[in-house]
Amino acid sequence: MLAFATCYEALRARDARFDGLFFVGVTTTRIYCRSVCAARTPRESSCRFFSSAAMAEKDGFRPCLRCRPELAPGSDEAVSERSLAQAIGRRLQATALEAASVKELARQAGFSERQLRRIVRGAFGVTPIELVQTQRLLFAKKLLHETALPVAAVALRAGFRSLRRFNALFQARYGLAPTALRRSAALAVAGPLRLQLAYRPPLAWREMLAYFGARAIPGVEVVADGCYLRTTEIGAKAAWLRVSQAAEHDALMVEFAPEMASHLYPALHRLRAVFDLDANPARIAEHLSVEKSLRSLVAKTPGLRVPGAWDAFEIALRAVLGQQISVAAATTLSGRLVARFGTPFITPWPRLTHTFPRASTLADAAVADIAALGLPRKRAETIREVARAAAAGVFVFAPGTTAGQAVAQLKALRGIGEWTAQYLAMRLLRSPDAFPAGDLGLRKAAGRGMPLTEAALLRRAESWRPWRAYAAAHLWHSLS
């Protein structure tokens, strides 16, 4: 928890580094804001600070219509990874629209519902239901602001089964009817839906796109004209999405195919992970810049993030395909895999032609058919093994699973060694301290052309903890 004086000074300075780390409730207006709100700074005696939007709303504060708390970046990843309660809170927020999320989450974590309520209340000051309700209401508020979906459709997409219940809770929490938030210049109901995703600046968007562009899966992903585009199957429907950088805000603009209208909430959570939008770049840069060998790299590319993954099975297969070959060769093989086993899909972009193969499809495929793509038989066997593991839910980790436990679980799969497991820990698990020290590129970059040994690199990287994944991102980027 931040000290009151620290929060107030950050509020006075409108310091973007604190955006999302706390919220301020103003007792004279009963409204709560982000640290970067452009409204006049309230008197110190009128301020109350909260670590979450849910706590502010529980105490009767309504979200500010100017700074819009639902746009605040998420909590710092490195801190939350250390806490089981924070892990449970993140899972609750990610699954807030699922009716049985609390009960199911307790089962996954190995707790009773009573234990889960105690853990969440201790960390957030609210019950799991209150936390989920806040996420649903803030998401509904986002849809009301940024789309022209009918109010009934907004309620349904925000996880409310009853329009009456939605209207009553919205009125009780925010003091106004949902229709009062409607903008006069809302988007048309028909056609793509557009929503924003905020982040803490800076963001090395061009470098992020270059990374994804070099590894784009042919037919599934495209990087062009400053945008990232991809196909997906979400909710058993094929769809597409396009991501670009907003012109006037520290945010990404996401355009969704109409087929994704019922799955916007999970899609937005996935995209936050894909582009590492919950990172705190100022804190990471300050820590890594202490190391002389990294200082110039960090200064050269401010806001460099660790690219995430849209889908667990997709990134696992991409990692296996990339073992011991070049990035370009792995991209070629992934394109063949998509053409042979993916599902054709027509999109507005001619280069987006398929959705990625389902795990069940490759789990049932003959090893000879997979090897025919140009793979050694053992690698083809590994791909089928990974597909079967994905179909069995191996890549769904229980809340509170540590990075070390997850790496051990991944290495238990045939064909996945330390490098692949650490790479997946970086991109899939979002572990800020994951570090594939055996990677030849990292060893070359750290040794400035003369590769260090893996042991020597691990010793040097000790001072980079708990941000070794970000150090790896800077080292890899230096090679380009």
Side-chain angles (χ1 to χ4, degrees):
M1 294 295 293
L2 298 171
F4 185 99
T6 301
C7 291
Y8 191 71
E9 284 304 312
L11 179 67
R12 289 181 58 193
R14 295 185 174 86
D15 194 331
R17 294 175 299 173
F18 290 83
D19 190 15
L21 294 182
F22 70 83
F23 298 88
V24 56
V26 183
T27 57
T28 52
T29 61
R30 305 305 298 175
I31 289 173
Y32 73 96
C33 302
R34 298 157 62 184
S35 64
V36 294
C37 187
R40 187 176 65 179
T41 304
R43 290 180 299 179
E44 189 172 356
S45 59
S46 300
C47 293
R48 291 188 60 192
F49 295 104
F50 303 93
S51 59
S52 71
M55 290 184 70
E57 292 194 7
K58 184 185 178 184
D59 275 15
F61 290 89
R62 305 185 307 276
C64 176
L65 299 182
R66 189 168 185 177
C67 68
R68 299 181 56 195
E70 73 272 14
L71 295 180
S75 59
D76 184 84
E77 182 70 15
V79 176
S80 59
E81 281 289 336
R82 301 171 192 165
S83 167
L84 172 62
Q86 293 286 347
I88 290 173
R90 289 197 310 276
R91 184 68 68 85
L92 276 172
Q93 292 172 16
T95 60
L97 272 58
E98 299 175 17
S101 61
V102 176
K103 183 177 181 179
E104 177 63 18
L105 184 58
R107 186 193 65 77
Q108 291 176 5
F111 298 127
S112 67
E113 289 186 65
R114 181 178 179 182
Q115 287 175 306
L116 185 69
R117 285 194 294 271
R118 177 180 57 78
I119 291 170
V120 173
R121 184 181 285 279
F124 296 97
V126 295
T127 67
I129 293 298
E130 289 168 333
L131 185 61
V132 165
Q133 283 180 342
T134 296
Q135 292 301 310
R136 289 177 175 176
L137 285 172
L138 288 177
F139 182 60
K141 184 172 176 292
K142 183 179 185 67
L143 294 180
L144 290 167
H145 270 295
E146 299 179 25
T147 77
L149 290 169
V151 173
V154 167
L156 182 64
R157 283 157 177 75
F160 292 92
R161 295 184 177 182
S162 164
L163 179 58
R164 179 180 296 178
R165 172 61 177 156
F166 168 64
N167 286 332
L169 190 60
F170 201 96
Q171 182 76 42
R173 287 280 189 95
Y174 301 157
L176 72 169
T179 51
L181 291 182
R182 277 298 183 208
R183 288 181 175 177
S184 58
L187 300 173
V189 177
L193 296 162
R194 295 176 178 85
L195 294 170
Q196 294 183 48
L197 285 173
Y199 57 81
R200 294 187 186 93
L203 172 66
W205 178 244
R206 183 177 63 180
E207 289 76 10
M208 178 77 82
L209 288 184
Y211 183 92
F212 282 121
R215 294 159 180 80
I217 300 172
V220 174
E221 298 176 293
V222 170
V223 173
D225 302 323
C227 299
Y228 170 83
L229 304 93
R230 69 162 296 124
T231 62
T232 184
E233 280 190 328
I234 188 166
K237 286 186 177 181
W240 56 263
L241 59 89
R242 179 169 62 174
V243 186
S244 58
Q245 195 168 30
E248 300 178 357
H249 307 286
D250 293 323
L252 298 183
M253 183 64 68
V254 188
E255 184 178 340
F256 293 102
E259 292 83 1
M260 292 191 72
S262 298
H263 305 281
L264 295 176
Y265 188 87
L268 290 174
H269 272 270
R270 286 198 197 188
L271 287 171
R272 294 202 70 85
V274 169
F275 296 104
D276 197 16
L277 299 185
D278 291 334
N280 189 333
R283 180 181 295 182
I284 296 166
E286 181 181 10
H287 180 86
L288 295 181
S289 295
V290 173
E291 163 81 41
K292 184 178 180 180
S293 62
L294 286 179
R295 190 178 305 145
S296 61
L297 300 183
V298 173
K300 195 173 185 179
T301 317
L304 191 66
R305 313 292 175 106
V306 176
W310 173 258
D311 178 79
F313 175 57
E314 180 181 295
I315 190 62
L317 232 57
R318 186 67 174 77
V320 169
L321 288 171
Q323 291 173 345
Q324 299 177 340
I325 61 175
S326 68
V327 171
T331 298
T332 299
L333 287 174
S334 65
R336 293 176 186 169
L337 185 80
V338 167
R340 172 66 179 82
F341 296 101
T343 303
F345 176 49
I346 298 175
T347 73
W349 295 276
R351 290 166 61 192
L352 288 181
T353 59
H354 291 72
T355 57
F356 195 78
R358 299 184 183 99
S360 58
T361 300
L362 284 169
D364 296 334
V367 171
D369 289 342
I370 301 174
L373 301 174
L375 292 165
R377 184 174 179 84
K378 284 190 176 180
R379 188 68 51 81
E381 290 173 350
T382 297
I383 286 176
R384 191 170 69 171
E385 178 94 0
V386 169
R388 290 175 174 175
V394 170
F395 295 111
V396 178
F397 300 94
T401 302
T402 66
Q405 291 169 338
V407 166
Q409 185 174 327
L410 291 169
K411 287 169 64 178
L413 296 173
R414 184 174 61 179
I416 292 187
E418 180 69 17
W419 179 90
T420 307
Q422 290 289 341
Y423 181 77
L424 291 176
M426 288 176 63
R427 297 199 58 188
L428 172 60
L429 303 178
R430 314 301 305 133
S431 171
D433 204 40
F435 192 67
D439 185 84
L440 180 59
L442 288 182
R443 289 162 46 210
K444 281 184 176 180
R448 298 187 178 183
M450 295 294 292
L452 298 178
T453 65
E454 183 175 344
L457 180 56
L458 282 171
R459 284 195 299 270
R460 179 181 292 185
E462 277 300 305
S463 64
W464 304 340
R465 288 183 181 272
W467 308 108
R468 293 188 304 176
Y470 291 87
H474 281 287
L475 290 170
W476 274 327
H477 181 65
S478 71
L479 296 173
S480 62

